[in-house]
Amino acid sequence: MNLRPLHDRVIVKRLDQETKTASGIVLPDAATEKPDQGEILAVGNGKILEDGKVRQLAVKVGDRVLFGKYSGQAVKIDGQELLVMREEDLFAVVEK
């Protein structure tokens, strides 16, 4: 992927959500909500602070993160729908 986010932005790929309930009912695409978890594919250099210094991001490529359902800007690159968002739009890193 030839996409490098600027400053404190990250590129996130949404993770597929379960399409089957615990009881085994298969949900159609129209009935499922947008996933609120994703994997970070690329990170920017860091946030530029008021004094001109750069603070490195707290997330890295490969991290699994939580974010709001309508966070970020959707872009389509090489047929994949990706999200571009600021680090501050991320809620948490999912630890394995």
mmCIF file of all heavy atoms in Angstrom, residues 37-82:
data_model
loop_
_atom_site.group_PDB
_atom_site.id
_atom_site.type_symbol
_atom_site.label_atom_id
_atom_site.label_comp_id
_atom_site.label_asym_id
_atom_site.label_seq_id
_atom_site.Cartn_x
_atom_site.Cartn_y
_atom_site.Cartn_z
ATOM 1 N N GLN A 37 -14.168 -2.110 15.397
ATOM 2 C CA GLN A 37 -12.793 -2.540 15.628
ATOM 3 C C GLN A 37 -12.063 -2.591 14.307
ATOM 4 O O GLN A 37 -12.670 -2.829 13.262
ATOM 5 C CB GLN A 37 -12.751 -3.935 16.262
ATOM 6 C CG GLN A 37 -13.235 -3.982 17.673
ATOM 7 C CD GLN A 37 -12.991 -5.340 18.295
ATOM 8 O OE1 GLN A 37 -12.012 -6.010 17.976
ATOM 9 N NE2 GLN A 37 -13.860 -5.735 19.186
ATOM 10 N N GLY A 38 -10.759 -2.352 14.360
ATOM 11 C CA GLY A 38 -9.977 -2.410 13.145
ATOM 12 C C GLY A 38 -8.517 -2.659 13.444
ATOM 13 O O GLY A 38 -8.093 -2.678 14.600
ATOM 14 N N GLU A 39 -7.769 -2.856 12.370
ATOM 15 C CA GLU A 39 -6.328 -3.074 12.471
ATOM 16 C C GLU A 39 -5.625 -1.889 11.833
ATOM 17 O O GLU A 39 -5.997 -1.444 10.746
ATOM 18 C CB GLU A 39 -5.939 -4.355 11.749
ATOM 19 C CG GLU A 39 -4.453 -4.621 11.785
ATOM 20 C CD GLU A 39 -4.059 -5.859 11.003
ATOM 21 O OE1 GLU A 39 -4.938 -6.577 10.514
ATOM 22 O OE2 GLU A 39 -2.850 -6.084 10.882
ATOM 23 N N ILE A 40 -4.609 -1.382 12.502
ATOM 24 C CA ILE A 40 -3.859 -0.245 11.982
ATOM 25 C C ILE A 40 -2.906 -0.730 10.905
ATOM 26 O O ILE A 40 -2.100 -1.633 11.126
ATOM 27 C CB ILE A 40 -3.102 0.476 13.114
ATOM 28 C CG1 ILE A 40 -4.120 1.069 14.067
ATOM 29 C CG2 ILE A 40 -2.167 1.528 12.546
ATOM 30 C CD1 ILE A 40 -3.567 1.942 15.132
ATOM 31 N N LEU A 41 -3.015 -0.115 9.716
ATOM 32 C CA LEU A 41 -2.163 -0.474 8.587
ATOM 33 C C LEU A 41 -0.984 0.480 8.414
ATOM 34 O O LEU A 41 0.050 0.092 7.884
ATOM 35 C CB LEU A 41 -2.981 -0.490 7.297
ATOM 36 C CG LEU A 41 -4.155 -1.466 7.246
ATOM 37 C CD1 LEU A 41 -4.870 -1.356 5.903
ATOM 38 C CD2 LEU A 41 -3.693 -2.887 7.485
ATOM 39 N N ALA A 42 -1.154 1.743 8.833
ATOM 40 C CA ALA A 42 -0.082 2.730 8.696
ATOM 41 C C ALA A 42 -0.285 3.835 9.725
ATOM 42 O O ALA A 42 -1.417 4.128 10.115
ATOM 43 C CB ALA A 42 -0.075 3.321 7.292
ATOM 44 N N VAL A 43 0.803 4.430 10.183
ATOM 45 C CA VAL A 43 0.735 5.539 11.149
ATOM 46 C C VAL A 43 1.573 6.702 10.640
ATOM 47 O O VAL A 43 2.540 6.520 9.902
ATOM 48 C CB VAL A 43 1.232 5.121 12.558
ATOM 49 C CG1 VAL A 43 0.348 4.059 13.161
ATOM 50 C CG2 VAL A 43 2.662 4.656 12.535
ATOM 51 N N GLY A 44 1.187 7.901 11.058
ATOM 52 C CA GLY A 44 1.937 9.101 10.700
ATOM 53 C C GLY A 44 3.161 9.269 11.594
ATOM 54 O O GLY A 44 3.439 8.444 12.476
ATOM 55 N N ASN A 45 3.880 10.370 11.389
ATOM 56 C CA ASN A 45 5.113 10.625 12.141
ATOM 57 C C ASN A 45 4.864 11.015 13.591
ATOM 58 O O ASN A 45 5.702 10.812 14.435
ATOM 59 C CB ASN A 45 5.927 11.726 11.465
ATOM 60 C CG ASN A 45 6.444 11.288 10.119
ATOM 61 O OD1 ASN A 45 6.656 10.103 9.886
ATOM 62 N ND2 ASN A 45 6.630 12.238 9.219
ATOM 63 N N GLY A 46 3.718 11.609 13.872
ATOM 64 C CA GLY A 46 3.404 12.019 15.236
ATOM 65 C C GLY A 46 2.715 13.363 15.261
ATOM 66 O O GLY A 46 2.628 14.069 14.257
ATOM 67 N N LYS A 47 2.206 13.716 16.432
ATOM 68 C CA LYS A 47 1.481 14.972 16.616
ATOM 69 C C LYS A 47 2.475 16.101 16.838
ATOM 70 O O LYS A 47 3.380 15.994 17.655
ATOM 71 C CB LYS A 47 0.532 14.856 17.808
ATOM 72 C CG LYS A 47 -0.313 16.090 18.026
ATOM 73 C CD LYS A 47 -1.337 15.843 19.112
ATOM 74 C CE LYS A 47 -2.155 17.063 19.365
ATOM 75 N NZ LYS A 47 -3.281 17.205 18.472
ATOM 76 N N ILE A 48 2.286 17.188 16.119
ATOM 77 C CA ILE A 48 3.144 18.366 16.298
ATOM 78 C C ILE A 48 2.576 19.187 17.438
ATOM 79 O O ILE A 48 1.423 19.631 17.396
ATOM 80 C CB ILE A 48 3.224 19.199 15.002
ATOM 81 C CG1 ILE A 48 3.826 18.336 13.891
ATOM 82 C CG2 ILE A 48 4.031 20.469 15.241
ATOM 83 C CD1 ILE A 48 3.867 19.003 12.553
ATOM 84 N N LEU A 49 3.370 19.375 18.479
ATOM 85 C CA LEU A 49 2.946 20.112 19.663
ATOM 86 C C LEU A 49 3.109 21.614 19.444
ATOM 87 O O LEU A 49 3.741 22.046 18.473
ATOM 88 C CB LEU A 49 3.745 19.646 20.880
ATOM 89 C CG LEU A 49 3.677 18.140 21.163
ATOM 90 C CD1 LEU A 49 4.616 17.769 22.306
ATOM 91 C CD2 LEU A 49 2.252 17.725 21.489
ATOM 92 N N GLU A 50 2.568 22.414 20.357
ATOM 93 C CA GLU A 50 2.625 23.867 20.223
ATOM 94 C C GLU A 50 4.051 24.405 20.202
ATOM 95 O O GLU A 50 4.319 25.422 19.567
ATOM 96 C CB GLU A 50 1.840 24.525 21.364
ATOM 97 C CG GLU A 50 0.345 24.334 21.232
ATOM 98 C CD GLU A 50 -0.424 24.990 22.353
ATOM 99 O OE1 GLU A 50 0.162 25.799 23.108
ATOM 100 O OE2 GLU A 50 -1.614 24.678 22.489
ATOM 101 N N ASP A 51 4.973 23.728 20.896
ATOM 102 C CA ASP A 51 6.366 24.185 20.926
ATOM 103 C C ASP A 51 7.178 23.692 19.724
ATOM 104 O O ASP A 51 8.377 23.904 19.644
ATOM 105 C CB ASP A 51 7.045 23.770 22.231
ATOM 106 C CG ASP A 51 7.110 22.265 22.420
ATOM 107 O OD1 ASP A 51 6.651 21.529 21.527
ATOM 108 O OD2 ASP A 51 7.615 21.831 23.474
ATOM 109 N N GLY A 52 6.507 22.998 18.781
ATOM 110 C CA GLY A 52 7.166 22.540 17.571
ATOM 111 C C GLY A 52 7.738 21.140 17.652
ATOM 112 O O GLY A 52 8.171 20.583 16.649
ATOM 113 N N LYS A 53 7.747 20.559 18.842
ATOM 114 C CA LYS A 53 8.255 19.204 18.992
ATOM 115 C C LYS A 53 7.215 18.206 18.477
ATOM 116 O O LYS A 53 6.036 18.502 18.402
ATOM 117 C CB LYS A 53 8.572 18.904 20.458
ATOM 118 C CG LYS A 53 9.717 19.734 21.003
ATOM 119 C CD LYS A 53 9.998 19.379 22.434
ATOM 120 C CE LYS A 53 11.134 20.252 22.964
ATOM 121 N NZ LYS A 53 11.396 20.015 24.380
ATOM 122 N N VAL A 54 7.680 17.006 18.125
ATOM 123 C CA VAL A 54 6.795 15.964 17.613
ATOM 124 C C VAL A 54 6.653 14.872 18.663
ATOM 125 O O VAL A 54 7.648 14.318 19.127
ATOM 126 C CB VAL A 54 7.352 15.369 16.294
ATOM 127 C CG1 VAL A 54 6.466 14.236 15.810
ATOM 128 C CG2 VAL A 54 7.471 16.443 15.233
ATOM 129 N N ARG A 55 5.399 14.583 19.044
ATOM 130 C CA ARG A 55 5.122 13.506 19.990
ATOM 131 C C ARG A 55 4.764 12.273 19.184
ATOM 132 O O ARG A 55 3.845 12.274 18.378
ATOM 133 C CB ARG A 55 3.957 13.874 20.914
ATOM 134 C CG ARG A 55 3.637 12.755 21.924
ATOM 135 C CD ARG A 55 2.393 13.042 22.746
ATOM 136 N NE ARG A 55 1.195 13.255 21.965
ATOM 137 C CZ ARG A 55 0.420 12.301 21.458
ATOM 138 N NH1 ARG A 55 0.741 11.029 21.609
ATOM 139 N NH2 ARG A 55 -0.668 12.602 20.774
ATOM 140 N N GLN A 56 5.493 11.178 19.400
ATOM 141 C CA GLN A 56 5.233 9.930 18.700
ATOM 142 C C GLN A 56 3.853 9.397 19.073
ATOM 143 O O GLN A 56 3.370 9.633 20.175
ATOM 144 C CB GLN A 56 6.305 8.889 19.043
ATOM 145 C CG GLN A 56 7.699 9.281 18.579
ATOM 146 C CD GLN A 56 7.772 9.438 17.074
ATOM 147 O OE1 GLN A 56 7.272 8.607 16.340
ATOM 148 N NE2 GLN A 56 8.386 10.515 16.625
ATOM 149 N N LEU A 57 3.244 8.654 18.160
ATOM 150 C CA LEU A 57 1.929 8.085 18.419
ATOM 151 C C LEU A 57 2.036 6.911 19.386
ATOM 152 O O LEU A 57 3.054 6.221 19.431
ATOM 153 C CB LEU A 57 1.291 7.625 17.112
ATOM 154 C CG LEU A 57 1.071 8.715 16.064
ATOM 155 C CD1 LEU A 57 0.384 8.129 14.835
ATOM 156 C CD2 LEU A 57 0.258 9.849 16.617
ATOM 157 N N ALA A 58 0.961 6.661 20.132
ATOM 158 C CA ALA A 58 0.938 5.572 21.109
ATOM 159 C C ALA A 58 0.549 4.248 20.472
ATOM 160 O O ALA A 58 0.602 3.217 21.123
ATOM 161 C CB ALA A 58 -0.038 5.914 22.237
ATOM 162 N N VAL A 59 0.158 4.263 19.203
ATOM 163 C CA VAL A 59 -0.228 3.039 18.499
ATOM 164 C C VAL A 59 0.795 2.741 17.416
ATOM 165 O O VAL A 59 1.553 3.622 17.004
ATOM 166 C CB VAL A 59 -1.645 3.161 17.884
ATOM 167 C CG1 VAL A 59 -2.688 3.278 18.973
ATOM 168 C CG2 VAL A 59 -1.726 4.324 16.923
ATOM 169 N N LYS A 60 0.798 1.482 16.959
ATOM 170 C CA LYS A 60 1.750 1.100 15.912
ATOM 171 C C LYS A 60 1.038 0.215 14.896
ATOM 172 O O LYS A 60 -0.073 -0.260 15.124
ATOM 173 C CB LYS A 60 2.950 0.384 16.509
ATOM 174 C CG LYS A 60 2.607 -0.906 17.240
ATOM 175 C CD LYS A 60 3.813 -1.452 17.954
ATOM 176 C CE LYS A 60 3.548 -2.718 18.708
ATOM 177 N NZ LYS A 60 2.432 -2.723 19.611
ATOM 178 N N VAL A 61 1.684 -0.018 13.773
ATOM 179 C CA VAL A 61 1.128 -0.868 12.729
ATOM 180 C C VAL A 61 0.881 -2.263 13.297
ATOM 181 O O VAL A 61 1.711 -2.810 14.010
ATOM 182 C CB VAL A 61 2.088 -0.937 11.524
ATOM 183 C CG1 VAL A 61 1.600 -1.946 10.503
ATOM 184 C CG2 VAL A 61 2.243 0.434 10.889
ATOM 185 N N GLY A 62 -0.299 -2.812 13.008
ATOM 186 C CA GLY A 62 -0.658 -4.137 13.485
ATOM 187 C C GLY A 62 -1.516 -4.133 14.733
ATOM 188 O O GLY A 62 -2.105 -5.158 15.078
ATOM 189 N N ASP A 63 -1.598 -2.994 15.441
ATOM 190 C CA ASP A 63 -2.441 -2.916 16.633
ATOM 191 C C ASP A 63 -3.907 -3.063 16.247
ATOM 192 O O ASP A 63 -4.346 -2.572 15.207
ATOM 193 C CB ASP A 63 -2.267 -1.575 17.358
ATOM 194 C CG ASP A 63 -1.019 -1.525 18.214
ATOM 195 O OD1 ASP A 63 -0.371 -2.571 18.402
ATOM 196 O OD2 ASP A 63 -0.691 -0.417 18.687
ATOM 197 N N ARG A 64 -4.664 -3.733 17.112
ATOM 198 C CA ARG A 64 -6.117 -3.843 16.946
ATOM 199 C C ARG A 64 -6.731 -2.773 17.846
ATOM 200 O O ARG A 64 -6.417 -2.721 19.037
ATOM 201 C CB ARG A 64 -6.573 -5.230 17.365
ATOM 202 C CG ARG A 64 -8.008 -5.507 17.093
ATOM 203 C CD ARG A 64 -8.320 -6.953 17.391
ATOM 204 N NE ARG A 64 -9.684 -7.230 17.010
ATOM 205 C CZ ARG A 64 -10.180 -8.434 16.860
ATOM 206 N NH1 ARG A 64 -9.414 -9.483 17.057
ATOM 207 N NH2 ARG A 64 -11.426 -8.590 16.522
ATOM 208 N N VAL A 65 -7.569 -1.919 17.293
ATOM 209 C CA VAL A 65 -8.070 -0.766 18.030
ATOM 210 C C VAL A 65 -9.591 -0.691 17.993
ATOM 211 O O VAL A 65 -10.244 -1.253 17.108
ATOM 212 C CB VAL A 65 -7.478 0.548 17.466
ATOM 213 C CG1 VAL A 65 -5.988 0.628 17.720
ATOM 214 C CG2 VAL A 65 -7.776 0.692 15.992
ATOM 215 N N LEU A 66 -10.149 0.033 18.975
ATOM 216 C CA LEU A 66 -11.569 0.343 19.033
ATOM 217 C C LEU A 66 -11.763 1.801 18.655
ATOM 218 O O LEU A 66 -10.961 2.657 19.039
ATOM 219 C CB LEU A 66 -12.118 0.133 20.448
ATOM 220 C CG LEU A 66 -12.117 -1.278 21.001
ATOM 221 C CD1 LEU A 66 -12.602 -1.259 22.450
ATOM 222 C CD2 LEU A 66 -12.994 -2.182 20.170
ATOM 223 N N PHE A 67 -12.827 2.096 17.928
ATOM 224 C CA PHE A 67 -13.133 3.469 17.533
ATOM 225 C C PHE A 67 -14.636 3.616 17.389
ATOM 226 O O PHE A 67 -15.373 2.620 17.387
ATOM 227 C CB PHE A 67 -12.420 3.838 16.221
ATOM 228 C CG PHE A 67 -12.630 2.847 15.114
ATOM 229 C CD1 PHE A 67 -13.727 2.936 14.268
ATOM 230 C CD2 PHE A 67 -11.728 1.823 14.913
ATOM 231 C CE1 PHE A 67 -13.921 2.018 13.248
ATOM 232 C CE2 PHE A 67 -11.912 0.900 13.893
ATOM 233 C CZ PHE A 67 -13.016 1.001 13.057
ATOM 234 N N GLY A 68 -15.119 4.837 17.279
ATOM 235 C CA GLY A 68 -16.544 5.088 17.124
ATOM 236 C C GLY A 68 -17.051 4.594 15.777
ATOM 237 O O GLY A 68 -16.307 4.544 14.800
ATOM 238 N N LYS A 69 -18.312 4.229 15.727
ATOM 239 C CA LYS A 69 -18.893 3.675 14.501
ATOM 240 C C LYS A 69 -18.798 4.623 13.321
ATOM 241 O O LYS A 69 -18.725 4.205 12.184
ATOM 242 C CB LYS A 69 -20.344 3.289 14.741
ATOM 243 C CG LYS A 69 -20.477 2.118 15.690
ATOM 244 C CD LYS A 69 -21.844 1.521 15.625
ATOM 245 C CE LYS A 69 -22.037 0.442 16.641
ATOM 246 N NZ LYS A 69 -21.123 -0.653 16.568
ATOM 247 N N TYR A 70 -18.825 5.913 13.575
ATOM 248 C CA TYR A 70 -18.794 6.891 12.487
ATOM 249 C C TYR A 70 -17.519 7.728 12.503
ATOM 250 O O TYR A 70 -17.485 8.816 11.958
ATOM 251 C CB TYR A 70 -20.040 7.780 12.564
ATOM 252 C CG TYR A 70 -21.300 6.947 12.510
ATOM 253 C CD1 TYR A 70 -22.041 6.701 13.655
ATOM 254 C CD2 TYR A 70 -21.708 6.356 11.325
ATOM 255 C CE1 TYR A 70 -23.179 5.904 13.616
ATOM 256 C CE2 TYR A 70 -22.835 5.559 11.268
ATOM 257 C CZ TYR A 70 -23.571 5.342 12.420
ATOM 258 O OH TYR A 70 -24.674 4.552 12.370
ATOM 259 N N SER A 71 -16.457 7.215 13.105
ATOM 260 C CA SER A 71 -15.182 7.921 13.171
ATOM 261 C C SER A 71 -14.441 7.827 11.852
ATOM 262 O O SER A 71 -14.585 6.859 11.106
ATOM 263 C CB SER A 71 -14.289 7.317 14.261
ATOM 264 O OG SER A 71 -14.858 7.481 15.515
ATOM 265 N N GLY A 72 -13.630 8.821 11.590
ATOM 266 C CA GLY A 72 -12.735 8.786 10.451
ATOM 267 C C GLY A 72 -13.385 9.089 9.119
ATOM 268 O O GLY A 72 -14.589 9.262 9.014
ATOM 269 N N GLN A 73 -12.544 9.178 8.120
ATOM 270 C CA GLN A 73 -12.958 9.436 6.747
ATOM 271 C C GLN A 73 -12.716 8.171 5.927
ATOM 272 O O GLN A 73 -11.598 7.672 5.878
ATOM 273 C CB GLN A 73 -12.139 10.601 6.166
ATOM 274 C CG GLN A 73 -12.404 10.904 4.729
ATOM 275 C CD GLN A 73 -13.820 11.408 4.505
ATOM 276 O OE1 GLN A 73 -14.299 12.238 5.254
ATOM 277 N NE2 GLN A 73 -14.477 10.899 3.491
ATOM 278 N N ALA A 74 -13.753 7.655 5.302
ATOM 279 C CA ALA A 74 -13.621 6.437 4.502
ATOM 280 C C ALA A 74 -12.992 6.764 3.152
ATOM 281 O O ALA A 74 -13.367 7.743 2.511
ATOM 282 C CB ALA A 74 -14.983 5.784 4.305
ATOM 283 N N VAL A 75 -12.020 5.960 2.742
ATOM 284 C CA VAL A 75 -11.381 6.086 1.432
ATOM 285 C C VAL A 75 -11.279 4.692 0.823
ATOM 286 O O VAL A 75 -11.226 3.696 1.542
ATOM 287 C CB VAL A 75 -9.974 6.728 1.514
ATOM 288 C CG1 VAL A 75 -10.052 8.158 1.990
ATOM 289 C CG2 VAL A 75 -9.055 5.931 2.407
ATOM 290 N N LYS A 76 -11.272 4.633 -0.495
ATOM 291 C CA LYS A 76 -11.143 3.347 -1.175
ATOM 292 C C LYS A 76 -9.796 3.330 -1.894
ATOM 293 O O LYS A 76 -9.543 4.152 -2.775
ATOM 294 C CB LYS A 76 -12.286 3.168 -2.167
ATOM 295 C CG LYS A 76 -12.695 1.738 -2.327
ATOM 296 C CD LYS A 76 -14.020 1.602 -3.014
ATOM 297 C CE LYS A 76 -14.591 0.279 -2.563
ATOM 298 N NZ LYS A 76 -15.903 0.034 -3.018
ATOM 299 N N ILE A 77 -8.944 2.390 -1.521
ATOM 300 C CA ILE A 77 -7.606 2.240 -2.103
ATOM 301 C C ILE A 77 -7.459 0.796 -2.563
ATOM 302 O O ILE A 77 -7.633 -0.122 -1.763
ATOM 303 C CB ILE A 77 -6.497 2.585 -1.081
ATOM 304 C CG1 ILE A 77 -6.685 3.973 -0.491
ATOM 305 C CG2 ILE A 77 -5.121 2.413 -1.695
ATOM 306 C CD1 ILE A 77 -6.467 5.105 -1.467
ATOM 307 N N ASP A 78 -7.130 0.602 -3.831
ATOM 308 C CA ASP A 78 -6.946 -0.743 -4.399
ATOM 309 C C ASP A 78 -8.148 -1.649 -4.110
ATOM 310 O O ASP A 78 -7.992 -2.828 -3.791
ATOM 311 C CB ASP A 78 -5.666 -1.392 -3.863
ATOM 312 C CG ASP A 78 -4.414 -0.628 -4.259
ATOM 313 O OD1 ASP A 78 -4.448 0.032 -5.316
ATOM 314 O OD2 ASP A 78 -3.423 -0.693 -3.515
ATOM 315 N N GLY A 79 -9.345 -1.096 -4.176
ATOM 316 C CA GLY A 79 -10.552 -1.883 -3.966
ATOM 317 C C GLY A 79 -10.881 -2.173 -2.511
ATOM 318 O O GLY A 79 -11.859 -2.832 -2.216
ATOM 319 N N GLN A 80 -10.062 -1.686 -1.574
ATOM 320 C CA GLN A 80 -10.290 -1.888 -0.140
ATOM 321 C C GLN A 80 -10.821 -0.609 0.468
ATOM 322 O O GLN A 80 -10.316 0.475 0.186
ATOM 323 C CB GLN A 80 -8.973 -2.195 0.573
ATOM 324 C CG GLN A 80 -8.677 -3.621 0.791
ATOM 325 C CD GLN A 80 -7.453 -3.751 1.692
ATOM 326 O OE1 GLN A 80 -6.561 -2.911 1.686
ATOM 327 N NE2 GLN A 80 -7.411 -4.806 2.458
ATOM 328 N N GLU A 81 -11.840 -0.725 1.329
ATOM 329 C CA GLU A 81 -12.322 0.454 2.043
ATOM 330 C C GLU A 81 -11.530 0.602 3.334
ATOM 331 O O GLU A 81 -11.495 -0.308 4.167
ATOM 332 C CB GLU A 81 -13.808 0.342 2.359
ATOM 333 C CG GLU A 81 -14.330 1.632 2.955
ATOM 334 C CD GLU A 81 -15.827 1.651 3.131
ATOM 335 O OE1 GLU A 81 -16.539 1.207 2.208
ATOM 336 O OE2 GLU A 81 -16.273 2.108 4.194
ATOM 337 N N LEU A 82 -10.865 1.730 3.475
ATOM 338 C CA LEU A 82 -10.038 2.014 4.641
ATOM 339 C C LEU A 82 -10.542 3.278 5.319
ATOM 340 O O LEU A 82 -11.273 4.066 4.713
ATOM 341 C CB LEU A 82 -8.579 2.199 4.221
ATOM 342 C CG LEU A 82 -7.944 1.056 3.437
ATOM 343 C CD1 LEU A 82 -6.567 1.454 2.945
ATOM 344 C CD2 LEU A 82 -7.861 -0.194 4.291
#
